[in-house]
Amino acid sequence: TALDIGTGSGAIALSLLHERAVQQPVATDISEDPLDVARGNAERCGLVERVDFRSGEGWRPVGNAEVFDIVISNPPYIALEERPALQPEVRDWEPATALFAPAEGLAVVREIIRGAAAHLRSAGLLALEVAATHAQQVADEIDRSHFGDVQVIRDLAGRARVVTAVRKADV
């Protein structure tokens, strides 16, 4: 099972399905607009019946007792102050809610980290795309929580972009 927080276009949830990594992911986003895009993409891929789309911010669309094998997210992680420096094709095309987060771009990432242990099975995977400048800081924050085997993964350009961790067994 998988939870894709902030699914946007649905690319992550649909990729997990296409690769047969999961059976029926839960894909959430803060409003119906991005979920409509994700649903449309799922329809074009013939996968719409296999995705559970839910609207709401952060952990709100997830039941208190729901647990997953994977929690994955490409959340907003750009600091508001960085907006003028962004490439116009990013800044002017993507919705601001998909790009920017308070607290130097870390507010949403930290919210996901805080709730992840409660919604992951023992040995479940947490995977977050983050700003390259924050990857090690995010890895350190995750390492101080209920997770082990924390890794920073580099993208094809060599930038630290994804932080993964495994939920420790309940003690």
Side-chain angles (χ1 to χ4, degrees), residues 62-90:
V62 180
N64 289 337
E66 269 186 290
V67 292
F68 302 90
D69 298 304
I70 301 168
V71 171
I72 194 163
S73 183
N74 177 6
Y77 56 75
I78 301 170
L80 299 169
E81 301 79 28
E82 295 179 43
R83 184 183 185 100
L86 284 180
Q87 298 167 326
E89 59 270 20
V90 173

Side-chain angles (χ1 to χ4, degrees), residues 125-144:
L125 175 70
L126 172 64
L128 301 171
E129 182 171 335
V130 297
T133 55
H134 291 137
Q136 191 57 56
Q137 179 181 354
V138 170
D140 292 343
E141 289 183 26
I142 292 171
D143 196 40
R144 290 189 297 268

Side-chain angles (χ1 to χ4, degrees), residues 14-152:
L14 297 175
S15 294
L16 289 170
L17 274 173
H18 179 73
E19 294 298 321
R20 295 185 176 95
V22 298
Q23 294 300 311
Q24 184 167 10
V26 173
T28 71
D29 216 303
I30 61 171
S31 71
E32 286 297 324
D33 290 340
L35 290 175
D36 287 343
V37 172
R39 278 187 200 96
N41 289 334
E43 284 177 21
R44 280 186 282 289
C45 294
L47 299 171
V48 73
E49 299 299 323
R50 295 183 53 204
V51 182
D52 180 358
F53 294 102
R54 301 182 192 174
S55 180
E57 189 173 337
W59 293 103
R60 289 186 188 105
V62 180
N64 289 337
E66 269 186 290
V67 292
F68 302 90
D69 298 304
I70 301 168
V71 171
I72 194 163
S73 183
N74 177 6
Y77 56 75
I78 301 170
L80 299 169
E81 301 79 28
E82 295 179 43
R83 184 183 185 100
L86 284 180
Q87 298 167 326
E89 59 270 20
V90 173
R91 180 188 63 230
D92 300 338
W93 176 253
E94 295 291 331
T97 56
L99 298 174
F100 304 104
E104 298 176 355
L106 291 168
V108 178
V109 170
R110 286 179 174 144
E111 179 185 354
I112 293 169
I113 293 168
R114 279 191 300 273
H119 294 286
L120 270 170
R121 286 183 174 78
S122 180
L125 175 70
L126 172 64
L128 301 171
E129 182 171 335
V130 297
T133 55
H134 291 137
Q136 191 57 56
Q137 179 181 354
V138 170
D140 292 343
E141 289 183 26
I142 292 171
D143 196 40
R144 290 189 297 268
S145 61
H146 301 276
F147 293 89
D149 194 21
V150 179
Q151 297 182 34
V152 175

